[in-house]
Amino acid sequence: MENKGVLVGSIIFVFASFFLMIGLLAYESYKAKQMKQLAASVASEARPTASSLPSQDFSMYKTRIGDEGREMVQVPEGPFTMGSNDGDPDEAPEHQVYLKGFYIDRNEVTQQEYQRFAKMTKRGMPRIEVFDDDQSKILKPEFAAMSVSWDEAIAYCKWAGKRLPTEAEWEKAGRGESKRRYPWGDKFVVNAANVDGTEDGYKYLAPSGVFEGGRSPYGIHDMTGNVAEWVEDSYDEHYYKKSPFRDPKGPDNADLKVVRGGSWRETEHQARLSKRFAAKHWRTDVTIGVRCASDLDPASAGS
């Protein structure tokens, strides 16, 4: 009888231990779930969205319609801080630049607008050489034009009675006179730009000009993300060390040209306003598009 009592006690102990272990595992799982939800909550609270940005009035800046019917915004004459001491070596040194006033397109050129140019000049539409998904996902009239080479970008702007912006003009149009990292400020804001990932609502390209919260100090759209944009300048890693103070035009003509603004494929860090990319003038890519600029005097634009 004594052995039988020990056996029953042992069985009860084993079952009790088993159920206790199950209970502890369930509790730990519940606690882990709660911690995960708390962490997600903290992360979302610490990560601002475009809706948290203050609304701005851009009506103070003059606008005009270019020869091809697209709206341009005037960027006023004056100084600004170009480059960054906290980025890649070719972004340094941070330096002051003084620019005369100019106009720049409010939005990136769309595929529909580029198609009009292609038809009128009897050119083919840009070819998509490399894209891993169904091409129809990035071929829409309202999406930004892409797979445009530097030479094609030059031709489009000349046809429109304009020119490509200089690298300095592009950066001032994006950041204004301050040292901001992004068009809206120093911290990246979700839904203010189309960069890598789907958090902003787009896996690939987005329609030109849909990110209202991400406009630059002059009211210009998509200076960060969507498509990167060609500028007029040739590329020199050390150019900022010898750049003139007034209206820099970049180094002597070379095969390597400058691309600015990041794209839908870049990380937040790589889409900052001071980031510089270099590419051969003949390169085409689904991440590179175009926007044009012009002098304040229309007669000198496109020359």
PDB file of all heavy atoms in Angstrom, residues 18 20 22 39 107 142-143 199 209 211 214 216 232 251 286:
ATOM      1  N   PHE A  18       3.562  19.246 -15.094  1.00  0.00           N
ATOM      2  CA  PHE A  18       3.272  19.439 -16.522  1.00  0.00           C
ATOM      3  C   PHE A  18       2.352  20.646 -16.726  1.00  0.00           C
ATOM      4  O   PHE A  18       2.601  21.525 -17.546  1.00  0.00           O
ATOM      5  CB  PHE A  18       2.647  18.164 -17.091  1.00  0.00           C
ATOM      6  CG  PHE A  18       2.188  18.297 -18.518  1.00  0.00           C
ATOM      7  CD1 PHE A  18       3.106  18.299 -19.558  1.00  0.00           C
ATOM      8  CD2 PHE A  18       0.836  18.431 -18.816  1.00  0.00           C
ATOM      9  CE1 PHE A  18       2.670  18.427 -20.871  1.00  0.00           C
ATOM     10  CE2 PHE A  18       0.415  18.557 -20.120  1.00  0.00           C
ATOM     11  CZ  PHE A  18       1.330  18.557 -21.160  1.00  0.00           C
ATOM     12  N   LEU A  20       1.768  23.042 -14.659  1.00  0.00           N
ATOM     13  CA  LEU A  20       2.436  24.268 -14.239  1.00  0.00           C
ATOM     14  C   LEU A  20       3.352  24.805 -15.344  1.00  0.00           C
ATOM     15  O   LEU A  20       3.410  26.007 -15.604  1.00  0.00           O
ATOM     16  CB  LEU A  20       3.251  23.992 -12.969  1.00  0.00           C
ATOM     17  CG  LEU A  20       4.056  25.172 -12.406  1.00  0.00           C
ATOM     18  CD1 LEU A  20       3.116  26.313 -12.007  1.00  0.00           C
ATOM     19  CD2 LEU A  20       4.901  24.728 -11.212  1.00  0.00           C
ATOM     20  N   ILE A  22       2.987  24.241 -18.571  1.00  0.00           N
ATOM     21  CA  ILE A  22       2.126  24.769 -19.627  1.00  0.00           C
ATOM     22  C   ILE A  22       1.667  26.181 -19.263  1.00  0.00           C
ATOM     23  O   ILE A  22       1.646  27.106 -20.087  1.00  0.00           O
ATOM     24  CB  ILE A  22       0.902  23.860 -19.860  1.00  0.00           C
ATOM     25  CG1 ILE A  22       1.343  22.491 -20.430  1.00  0.00           C
ATOM     26  CG2 ILE A  22      -0.111  24.513 -20.796  1.00  0.00           C
ATOM     27  CD1 ILE A  22       1.992  22.572 -21.790  1.00  0.00           C
ATOM     28  N   ALA A  39       6.454  47.654 -27.867  1.00  0.00           N
ATOM     29  CA  ALA A  39       7.574  48.127 -28.685  1.00  0.00           C
ATOM     30  C   ALA A  39       7.083  48.733 -29.987  1.00  0.00           C
ATOM     31  O   ALA A  39       7.578  49.765 -30.438  1.00  0.00           O
ATOM     32  CB  ALA A  39       8.536  46.969 -28.976  1.00  0.00           C
ATOM     33  N   ASN A 107       6.822  69.762 -60.389  1.00  0.00           N
ATOM     34  CA  ASN A 107       6.730  68.299 -60.344  1.00  0.00           C
ATOM     35  C   ASN A 107       7.723  67.658 -61.302  1.00  0.00           C
ATOM     36  O   ASN A 107       8.164  68.273 -62.283  1.00  0.00           O
ATOM     37  CB  ASN A 107       5.320  67.843 -60.723  1.00  0.00           C
ATOM     38  CG  ASN A 107       4.273  68.303 -59.734  1.00  0.00           C
ATOM     39  OD1 ASN A 107       4.501  68.292 -58.534  1.00  0.00           O
ATOM     40  ND2 ASN A 107       3.117  68.726 -60.249  1.00  0.00           N
ATOM     41  N   GLU A 142       0.467  58.729 -65.288  1.00  0.00           N
ATOM     42  CA  GLU A 142       0.644  59.697 -64.206  1.00  0.00           C
ATOM     43  C   GLU A 142       1.925  59.469 -63.400  1.00  0.00           C
ATOM     44  O   GLU A 142       2.315  60.321 -62.596  1.00  0.00           O
ATOM     45  CB  GLU A 142      -0.559  59.665 -63.250  1.00  0.00           C
ATOM     46  CG  GLU A 142      -0.694  58.401 -62.425  1.00  0.00           C
ATOM     47  CD  GLU A 142      -1.441  57.261 -63.122  1.00  0.00           C
ATOM     48  OE1 GLU A 142      -1.562  57.307 -64.363  1.00  0.00           O
ATOM     49  OE2 GLU A 142      -1.901  56.349 -62.414  1.00  0.00           O
ATOM     50  N   PHE A 143       2.596  58.349 -63.626  1.00  0.00           N
ATOM     51  CA  PHE A 143       3.842  58.078 -62.914  1.00  0.00           C
ATOM     52  C   PHE A 143       4.972  58.930 -63.494  1.00  0.00           C
ATOM     53  O   PHE A 143       4.932  59.342 -64.646  1.00  0.00           O
ATOM     54  CB  PHE A 143       4.227  56.606 -63.023  1.00  0.00           C
ATOM     55  CG  PHE A 143       3.452  55.696 -62.105  1.00  0.00           C
ATOM     56  CD1 PHE A 143       2.451  56.176 -61.276  1.00  0.00           C
ATOM     57  CD2 PHE A 143       3.721  54.333 -62.077  1.00  0.00           C
ATOM     58  CE1 PHE A 143       1.740  55.335 -60.428  1.00  0.00           C
ATOM     59  CE2 PHE A 143       3.023  53.490 -61.239  1.00  0.00           C
ATOM     60  CZ  PHE A 143       2.024  53.982 -60.415  1.00  0.00           C
ATOM     61  N   GLU A 199       5.808  51.212 -46.929  1.00  0.00           N
ATOM     62  CA  GLU A 199       5.209  51.967 -45.829  1.00  0.00           C
ATOM     63  C   GLU A 199       4.573  53.266 -46.313  1.00  0.00           C
ATOM     64  O   GLU A 199       3.629  53.769 -45.703  1.00  0.00           O
ATOM     65  CB  GLU A 199       6.276  52.262 -44.770  1.00  0.00           C
ATOM     66  CG  GLU A 199       5.712  52.662 -43.418  1.00  0.00           C
ATOM     67  CD  GLU A 199       6.787  52.768 -42.356  1.00  0.00           C
ATOM     68  OE1 GLU A 199       7.981  52.623 -42.692  1.00  0.00           O
ATOM     69  OE2 GLU A 199       6.431  52.991 -41.193  1.00  0.00           O
ATOM     70  N   GLY A 209       3.922  64.145 -57.676  1.00  0.00           N
ATOM     71  CA  GLY A 209       3.291  65.210 -56.917  1.00  0.00           C
ATOM     72  C   GLY A 209       2.225  64.809 -55.926  1.00  0.00           C
ATOM     73  O   GLY A 209       1.441  65.657 -55.504  1.00  0.00           O
ATOM     74  N   PHE A 211       2.739  63.483 -52.803  1.00  0.00           N
ATOM     75  CA  PHE A 211       3.166  63.587 -51.408  1.00  0.00           C
ATOM     76  C   PHE A 211       3.163  65.052 -50.967  1.00  0.00           C
ATOM     77  O   PHE A 211       4.207  65.712 -50.921  1.00  0.00           O
ATOM     78  CB  PHE A 211       4.546  62.950 -51.223  1.00  0.00           C
ATOM     79  CG  PHE A 211       4.550  61.463 -51.403  1.00  0.00           C
ATOM     80  CD1 PHE A 211       4.807  60.897 -52.646  1.00  0.00           C
ATOM     81  CD2 PHE A 211       4.270  60.625 -50.335  1.00  0.00           C
ATOM     82  CE1 PHE A 211       4.797  59.519 -52.826  1.00  0.00           C
ATOM     83  CE2 PHE A 211       4.258  59.238 -50.497  1.00  0.00           C
ATOM     84  CZ  PHE A 211       4.515  58.689 -51.749  1.00  0.00           C
ATOM     85  N   GLY A 214       5.462  66.317 -48.179  1.00  0.00           N
ATOM     86  CA  GLY A 214       6.901  66.284 -48.396  1.00  0.00           C
ATOM     87  C   GLY A 214       7.430  67.393 -49.274  1.00  0.00           C
ATOM     88  O   GLY A 214       8.560  67.318 -49.757  1.00  0.00           O
ATOM     89  N   SER A 216       9.070  70.866 -50.630  1.00  0.00           N
ATOM     90  CA  SER A 216      10.225  71.642 -50.182  1.00  0.00           C
ATOM     91  C   SER A 216       9.776  73.013 -49.672  1.00  0.00           C
ATOM     92  O   SER A 216       8.598  73.369 -49.783  1.00  0.00           O
ATOM     93  CB  SER A 216      11.210  71.826 -51.353  1.00  0.00           C
ATOM     94  OG  SER A 216      10.801  72.898 -52.183  1.00  0.00           O
ATOM     95  N   GLU A 232      22.503  69.184 -64.498  1.00  0.00           N
ATOM     96  CA  GLU A 232      23.360  69.533 -65.635  1.00  0.00           C
ATOM     97  C   GLU A 232      24.828  69.207 -65.399  1.00  0.00           C
ATOM     98  O   GLU A 232      25.565  68.912 -66.339  1.00  0.00           O
ATOM     99  CB  GLU A 232      23.209  71.031 -65.932  1.00  0.00           C
ATOM    100  CG  GLU A 232      23.875  71.473 -67.215  1.00  0.00           C
ATOM    101  CD  GLU A 232      23.565  72.923 -67.537  1.00  0.00           C
ATOM    102  OE1 GLU A 232      22.620  73.484 -66.959  1.00  0.00           O
ATOM    103  OE2 GLU A 232      24.294  73.491 -68.373  1.00  0.00           O
ATOM    104  N   PRO A 251      32.224  70.898 -62.650  1.00  0.00           N
ATOM    105  CA  PRO A 251      33.516  70.784 -63.323  1.00  0.00           C
ATOM    106  C   PRO A 251      33.359  70.713 -64.834  1.00  0.00           C
ATOM    107  O   PRO A 251      32.242  70.702 -65.361  1.00  0.00           O
ATOM    108  CB  PRO A 251      34.076  69.470 -62.772  1.00  0.00           C
ATOM    109  CG  PRO A 251      32.865  68.673 -62.433  1.00  0.00           C
ATOM    110  CD  PRO A 251      31.838  69.665 -61.961  1.00  0.00           C
ATOM    111  N   VAL A 286      15.319  52.533 -64.158  1.00  0.00           N
ATOM    112  CA  VAL A 286      13.929  52.757 -63.728  1.00  0.00           C
ATOM    113  C   VAL A 286      13.841  53.662 -62.506  1.00  0.00           C
ATOM    114  O   VAL A 286      12.747  53.996 -62.057  1.00  0.00           O
ATOM    115  CB  VAL A 286      13.212  51.430 -63.431  1.00  0.00           C
ATOM    116  CG1 VAL A 286      12.993  50.638 -64.705  1.00  0.00           C
ATOM    117  CG2 VAL A 286      13.966  50.612 -62.392  1.00  0.00           C
TER     118      VAL A 286
END
